[in-house]
Amino acid sequence: MPHITIQMYPGRSDELKKKLAEAVVKTASEELQRGKEHFSVSIEDVPQEEWNEKVYKKVTDPDNKTVFIKPGY
């Protein structure tokens, strides 16, 4: 508790993904006042041609109450 999922276009190195995951956990840990050991992070590469169907339609759905920051693109 909690698990954080990041979806993004492919092309970034595992090293960069690990740095991103660590930065996200650091911030989440501070904001939620929980130890870093309580967090897990996964990063899913979604090809650009699949982005609209797999991600965009879901996060911009006005009925989706789980997305707290909608994309501005």
Side-chain angles (χ1 to χ4, degrees):
M1 167 345 243
H3 177 76
I4 300 164
T5 303
I6 299 170
Q7 295 173 301
M8 62 184 179
Y9 288 167
R12 291 159 182 99
S13 69
D14 285 349
E15 180 182 334
L16 183 61
K17 290 176 185 178
K18 182 159 178 58
K19 287 176 69 174
L20 173 60
E22 289 169 349
V24 168
V25 165
K26 180 180 184 291
T27 299
S29 172
E30 291 169 357
E31 292 298 320
L32 297 176
Q33 299 177 355
R34 300 284 299 175
K36 293 178 185 177
E37 68 275 8
H38 296 282
F39 294 84
S40 58
V41 177
S42 62
I43 297 178
E44 177 187 358
D45 288 333
V46 179
Q48 186 173 0
E49 60 273 9
E50 297 174 16
W51 187 262
N52 192 44
E53 192 63 36
K54 287 187 173 181
V55 180
Y56 184 76
K57 286 183 179 179
K58 293 176 185 173
V59 300
T60 59
D61 179 352
D63 294 327
N64 185 343
K65 305 294 186 225
T66 65
V67 178
F68 289 89
I69 299 176
K70 303 274 186 187
Y73 52 85

